[in-house]
Amino acid sequence: MSGPALRNVQHHIAQQSKYARLNAFISLTDAAKLQASAPAAEDASKPLHGRLIAVKDNIATADLPTTAASKILSNYTSPYPSTVATLLTFAGALVAGKTNLDEFGMGSHSRAPFAGPVLSPYTRNGETLSPGGSSGGSAVAVTTGQCWAALGTDTGGSVRLPAAYTGTVGFKPSYGRVSRWGVLDYANSLDTVGTLTSTVGDAKGLYEALDQYDVRDPTSLPGAVRERITKAVMARDEKRKDRPLRVGVPFEYNITSLSSVVKRAWTSLLQRLQAAGHEIVPVSLPSTRLALSAYYVLAPAEASSNLAKYDGVRYGARVSGPDALPKEDLVLFAKTRGEGFGPEVRRRILLGAYTLSSEAIDNYFIQAQKVRRLVQKDFDNVFGLAHPLLDEVQAAGEDTVDVLIAPTAPTLPPTIKEVEQLTPVESYMNDVFTVPASLAGLPAVSVPVKLADAAGKVQNADEVGGEVTTTGMQVIAQFGDDDLVLEVAELIEKMQSGTYNM
Amino acid sequence: MGVSRIAVRVPCSTFQSIYPLRSGRRCFHNTPTAWERPTKPPVDIQQILQEPTWSVESLLPPKDVTAESPTIAPEQFRKLLRLSALPLPKNAEEEASMLSTLSSQLHFAKEIQKVDTTGVAPLQSLRDETTAGQTEQEIGLEALESAFRLEESRGTYYKKIRRRQDGVSDTEGVEQWDPLKAAQKRVGRYFVVEGGKEG
């Protein structure tokens, strides 16, 4: 038997060996096993039949280990699969393997000390570039054809940033749309499961298989809320068909360190949208300046609480000998945790322990949650669609927008050498454009747009590398307006390929 | 300004992917003629993006002086490590480096303290906060009725409420796994925690 599913799977397996040096995977499904299951997956009635999909290694699968790229989970295989992994299987997809990431998702360049760094296939003057993070393994696997699509997680930009750095489409749905059951918590009030794909159409197909209520995830959006959203979106779409798209341009995303190439790509995209008849509306989101600081209080605080359970007793790696050594000032489990967690994870746990401590909680943690509310209100003020989780205080004004469009990252990917020079706090700067949507739980997609000087360069689909030719532009919309961000991303995608008929 | 808007004909099918749209989804602007209504003149994009509005680097602590950054006393630092169940630094050098990182992280976070948040309700998590939604989530007597039916009072002077254990609970798919399987150390059917000797 040799249907298209088997041929596709064989192609991806060949790409996996070809690009093994990029370290995109932590574990791979056995190639023989995959090929054997491919014909059975040839069931055209299933939406993702025969599709090979990679899963980030902080999402539980029952057949392969789930390590989150941490030494503390180096020997761990979950007794049950995550809801998203189960849904993929239901839809006819095959799991390619588990992709590499920053330890527990904490980082922006996919450099977990235990699993080793992920490398981008792209270079600048011969220097290897950062793939972005924390879902860097998923992004690299997709861009090099090692799988059809991949799942990632996005807490503060971890799907969108690697998508922008690798020329892929990274979609973070609204918080609560896709189940987190079986996804290892990092910062639970911010964590979402997202997708990395080659095209927006693929993102839609994958998202459709995942977007449903899960009774086992207490933060999953219940049916009543989903219905409320659908009604509001349909009513808005009814009015919208008689007018052009209203695209907001947030002033605060124009920062001094925005590189000139990225700024040019942003400007040119907006000009093309304007020329196509869409309305460009400058907007202000003042709390954007505070978002990054608030995020780096909230995420480590939640992490310090969520990671308290890793002690090596019930599961995970543990050091030999006693669990406490009072004589050496080692409290219970300190040795296991000290050796099991990498330096960035330890730093964030410690920072979280401080910002949650009785003397600091009001000025740091609670204050950050209040700033988070301000960020949500800023977004709420500019969108025409009412927030489905909040009582409507006032009707939307005249100058509201449907979506916001801004860069995903301020610069093109840095080289690995440049990343190695960064201090921990300097590396937080990368997330400045992705964190605000995460704080508000909004849907956001990063879609590749061509750089001005890269026009006309043709990439061979099987040979990936050389200089980057794209950067990521982010489309953000109101909470629940996930379909709209994908529609607008598709519009942008069509403008890139020239199939958009002006 | 006298710039007129250009009406564009975009076939609806352009926006449909290889996947069929779910019911309720629709492509936008399929009646482009309506766009010709007079609106505001288009903004000059280059002009609105000319001047940067702020510098993200302003959040970083100055390279040479760390005097302005919040500091953590060594005693408090040790307490935080103990609370986090993390080992103490191996030497003075490591301690200094960890303290300096923590201090720059706190400098970075300090920005949020400059804003007046009086009267702002903290956003703890993204959940249904509408009045209708809150009512839906309320648990009333009705929802608990089946549980109450299993309760019975015993005793004459000191009444105790007990729950009848009728039959077997449905644990399908929840208890078919061995919680001890993943433990590295175990003794019989027990997990093991090995405390060190005091003093």
Side-chain angles (χ1 to χ4, degrees):
Chain A
M1 221 195 249
S2 68
L6 182 61
R7 279 198 301 278
N8 283 334
V9 166
Q10 283 169 339
H11 167 73
H12 294 312
I13 291 172
Q15 295 293 101
Q16 285 168 9
S17 9
K18 188 167 165 185
Y19 289 103
R21 65 172 185 93
L22 301 178
N23 203 21
F25 284 90
I26 290 180
S27 56
L28 278 167
T29 305
D30 180 63
K33 195 179 153 194
L34 267 185
Q35 293 188 64
S37 50
E42 203 80 69
D43 176 358
S45 69
K46 294 183 176 172
L48 300 175
H49 68 96
R51 299 295 197 188
L52 195 61
I53 298 178
V55 176
K56 191 177 179 182
D57 205 26
N58 59 350
I59 301 174
T61 48
D63 296 333
L64 290 168
T66 300
T67 72
S70 181
K71 191 181 172 188
I72 209 154
L73 287 177
S74 51
N75 58 6
Y76 181 67
T77 301
S78 170
Y80 58 85
S82 55
T83 298
V84 287
T86 307
L87 289 174
L88 288 184
T89 318
F90 278 169
L94 303 164
V95 172
K98 305 297 288 290
T99 53
N100 203 344
L101 64 153
D102 285 292
E103 189 174 354
F104 285 102
M106 298 182 198
S108 306
H109 300 286
S110 303
R111 304 176 59 76
F114 179 69
V118 180
L119 306 179
S120 170
Y122 299 104
T123 54
R124 180 174 306 121
N125 303 323
E127 290 286 339
T128 300
L129 299 181
S130 159
S134 66
S135 311
S138 290
V140 169
V142 169
T143 199
T144 53
Q146 302 185 57
C147 53
W148 174 73
L151 295 187
T153 57
D154 191 315
T155 304
S158 283
V159 157
R160 291 162 283 160
L161 186 69
Y165 282 1
T166 58
T168 50
V169 176
F171 173 46
K172 177 201 102 71
S174 301
Y175 181 87
R177 276 239 183 235
V178 177
S179 167
R180 294 191 300 114
W181 168 259
V183 178
L184 304 192
D185 285 325
Y186 154 26
N188 52 287
S189 81
L190 296 153
D191 293 340
T192 55
V193 174
T195 63
L196 288 129
T197 52
S198 305
T199 67
V200 180
D202 292 347
K204 280 184 174 178
L206 191 48
Y207 169 60
E208 239 172 82
L210 304 175
D211 173 27
Q212 46 181 285
Y213 173 65
D214 182 7
V215 68
R216 287 184 291 192
D217 173 2
T219 59
S220 178
L221 292 176
V225 174
R226 287 169 194 260
E227 269 170 43
R228 194 187 303 157
I229 292 171
T230 308
K231 266 188 206 160
V233 167
M234 278 175 78
R236 188 273 321 271
D237 283 355
E238 194 53 43
K239 289 181 197 154
R240 197 164 53 88
K241 70 180 184 191
D242 295 334
R243 61 167 175 81
L245 191 67
R246 283 207 279 257
V247 176
V249 183
F251 280 123
E252 289 76 8
Y253 285 56
N254 182 14
I255 57 174
T256 39
S257 52
L258 181 65
S259 77
S260 57
V261 264
V262 175
K263 193 164 172 175
R264 225 179 306 147
W266 187 21
T267 311
S268 135
L269 173 66
L270 294 172
Q271 284 169 338
R272 294 178 68 180
L273 285 164
Q274 193 177 47
H278 301 291
E279 197 179 325
I280 305 297
V281 185
V283 299
S284 181
L285 305 167
S287 2
T288 302
R289 297 168 188 231
L290 304 166
L292 203 55
S293 300
Y295 175 83
Y296 278 101
V297 172
L298 295 172
E302 293 187 15
S304 83
S305 165
N306 285 320
L307 270 57
K309 62 175 170 273
Y310 297 103
D311 52 24
V313 174
R314 291 146 302 153
Y315 50 82
R318 127 190 237 179
V319 293
S320 54
D323 292 302
L325 289 169
K327 274 189 217 163
E328 291 173 38
D329 235 349
L330 278 168
V331 292
L332 203 58
F333 313 128
K335 201 154 193 284
T336 286
R337 288 165 61 83
E339 288 182 24
F341 292 134
E344 182 59 23
V345 174
R346 294 203 303 269
R347 273 195 284 273
R348 293 198 192 185
I349 290 176
L350 198 63
L351 175 60
Y354 176 71
T355 58
L356 289 175
S357 66
S358 57
E359 61 265 49
I361 190 164
D362 288 337
N363 285 336
Y364 285 96
F365 187 66
I366 306 291
Q367 178 70 0
Q369 287 185 327
K370 289 178 178 173
V371 168
R372 187 176 182 184
R373 180 71 75 185
L374 297 179
V375 171
Q376 183 189 46
K377 280 188 175 158
D378 270 4
F379 280 119
D380 216 23
N381 285 340
V382 303
F383 289 125
L385 187 68
H387 200 300
L389 300 183
L390 302 174
D391 283 323
E392 204 167 349
V393 253
Q394 59 188 65
E398 268 293 291
D399 282 331
T400 57
V401 299
D402 300 310
V403 291
L404 297 167
I405 294 183
T408 308
T411 63
L412 298 183
T415 65
I416 300 272
K417 276 190 184 160
E418 285 164 348
V419 170
E420 283 166 350
Q421 301 301 314
L422 294 174
T423 65
V425 179
E426 278 168 351
S427 67
Y428 299 167
M429 301 291 145
N430 249 354
D431 305 333
V432 62
F433 296 156
T434 50
V435 148
S438 292
L439 289 175
L442 306 182
V445 58
S446 175
V447 57
V449 299
K450 279 190 191 135
L451 299 174
D453 54 358
K457 274 189 195 170
V458 182
Q459 289 269 352
N460 177 339
D462 293 345
E463 289 290 341
V464 186
E467 305 269 328
V468 288
T469 56
T470 60
T471 185
M473 285 294 146
Q474 209 180 178
V475 184
I476 306 170
Q478 177 62 290
F479 189 92
D481 216 355
D482 299 64
D483 291 345
L484 183 64
V485 297
L486 290 171
E487 294 291 349
V488 176
E490 200 155 49
L491 170 70
I492 295 171
E493 185 179 62
K494 294 226 157 82
M495 287 179 151
Q496 304 306 307
S497 61
T499 55
Y500 180 77
N501 192 6
M502 296 239 300
Chain B
M1 304 274 277
V3 188
S4 63
R5 190 170 291 284
I6 312 152
V8 187
R9 173 89 213 152
V10 185
C12 185
S13 60
T14 313
F15 299 102
Q16 290 189 358
S17 67
I18 50 166
Y19 298 95
L21 291 174
R22 265 188 279 182
S23 59
R25 292 177 187 216
R26 56 180 309 142
C27 65
F28 50 83
H29 58 63
N30 50 2
T31 51
T33 46
W35 298 9
E36 287 173 89
R37 74 202 162 105
T39 43
K40 282 171 283 176
V43 296
D44 182 342
I45 291 158
Q46 234 157 9
Q47 198 202 325
I48 60 168
L49 291 179
Q50 201 159 26
E51 286 304 315
T53 50
W54 68 294
S55 152
V56 65
E57 284 72 20
S58 63
L59 302 172
L60 290 172
K63 280 239 166 21
D64 41 351
V65 241
T66 47
E68 285 174 38
S69 304
T71 50
I72 303 286
E75 201 36 56
Q76 192 185 10
F77 174 65
R78 283 161 185 271
K79 188 184 157 199
L80 290 175
L81 282 167
R82 278 194 294 273
L83 285 172
S84 309
L86 287 172
L88 299 179
K90 288 182 189 75
N91 48 46
E93 200 185 324
E94 194 185 44
E95 176 167 315
S97 142
M98 287 168 83
L99 276 170
S100 141
T101 304
L102 190 56
S103 155
S104 62
Q105 283 172 321
L106 291 176
H107 179 100
F108 184 78
K110 218 172 57 171
E111 195 66 19
I112 57 167
Q113 293 165 6
K114 294 179 186 162
V115 56
D116 181 12
T117 54
T118 319
V120 177
L123 176 56
Q124 293 159 341
S125 66
L126 295 151
R127 56 174 172 235
D128 195 351
E129 295 181 76
T130 59
T131 319
Q134 304 281 15
T135 316
E136 273 167 37
Q137 288 161 44
E138 276 171 14
I139 297 172
L141 285 174
E142 231 168 88
L144 294 173
E145 214 179 81
S146 59
F148 287 144
R149 251 186 274 123
L150 289 176
E151 283 182 357
E152 54 190 21
S153 298
R154 287 201 182 166
T156 326
Y157 297 108
Y158 302 101
K159 279 201 172 170
K160 274 185 181 172
I161 295 173
R162 286 196 184 179
R163 182 165 299 164
R164 283 197 315 272
Q165 301 292 327
D166 292 353
V168 186
S169 309
D170 179 16
T171 58
E172 179 65 31
V174 182
E175 290 187 358
Q176 278 89 338
W177 63 289
D178 179 8
L180 284 154
K181 202 181 149 195
Q184 208 169 297
K185 274 188 213 168
R186 51 182 179 261
V187 173
R189 294 293 294 163
Y190 291 96
F191 293 118
V192 180
V193 176
E194 214 181 310
K197 289 207 175 74
E198 291 284 348

